[in-house]
Amino acid sequence: MKRTIITPPALAPAALGELKDWLGIAATTTGEDAGLTGLLRAALDGCEAFTGALPLVATCEEVLGPAAGWQALVAGPVQAVSGVQGLGPGTARADLPASAYAIDLSPEGGGRVRILAPGVATRFAVRFQAGLAADWGGLPDGLR
């Protein structure tokens, strides 16, 4: 299972402002904003690699294999599952009704999906939101 980020988190101006303040760059200096924003995104990726958790909430998709009991989502912490699509022959996708799958979200941030009625699909694309905080200000100080 590989996670794909469908909608990346938006970096608030506060993130860039904090970085500039930490580096001693005047807030009115904008020439390096694109490069600094790239560094912030790289830091978020490094944070995820180190902690195993997405720092900021993003919309993700993971493709699960054949329906075989509960299957864990790799990315986390999972906030909500927004839908499941069955993947048929080729690249055909079809939304599964909510009655065709079950969702289990743990208090620790884990997420599992169980396909109850797979129909003709042999793989399943699960869309969900995962992350520690909704925005930059919600991150713990140590991660910011």
Side-chain angles (χ1 to χ4, degrees), residues 9-95:
L11 274 176
L16 183 58
E18 280 188 37
L19 179 58
K20 283 182 169 183
D21 185 53
W22 188 78
L23 292 170
I25 298 172
T28 56
T29 304
T30 60
E32 300 297 325
D33 285 2
L36 292 173
T37 299
L39 288 174
L40 285 168
R41 292 211 178 275
L44 290 173
D45 290 345
C47 179
E48 179 190 358
F50 185 74
T51 65
L54 286 161
L56 296 175
V57 173
T59 300
C60 304
E61 180 178 273
E62 288 183 20
V63 175
L64 306 178
W70 288 102
Q71 297 184 65
L73 298 171
V74 175
V78 178
Q79 303 296 328
V81 173
S82 54
V84 178
Q85 293 181 319
L87 304 177
T91 58
R93 287 180 175 236
D95 290 333

Side-chain angles (χ1 to χ4, degrees), residues 17 55-57 62 66 98 102-103 113-114 116 118 125 134:
L56 296 175
V57 173
E62 288 183 20
I103 300 166
V113 176
R114 182 176 180 193
L116 304 171

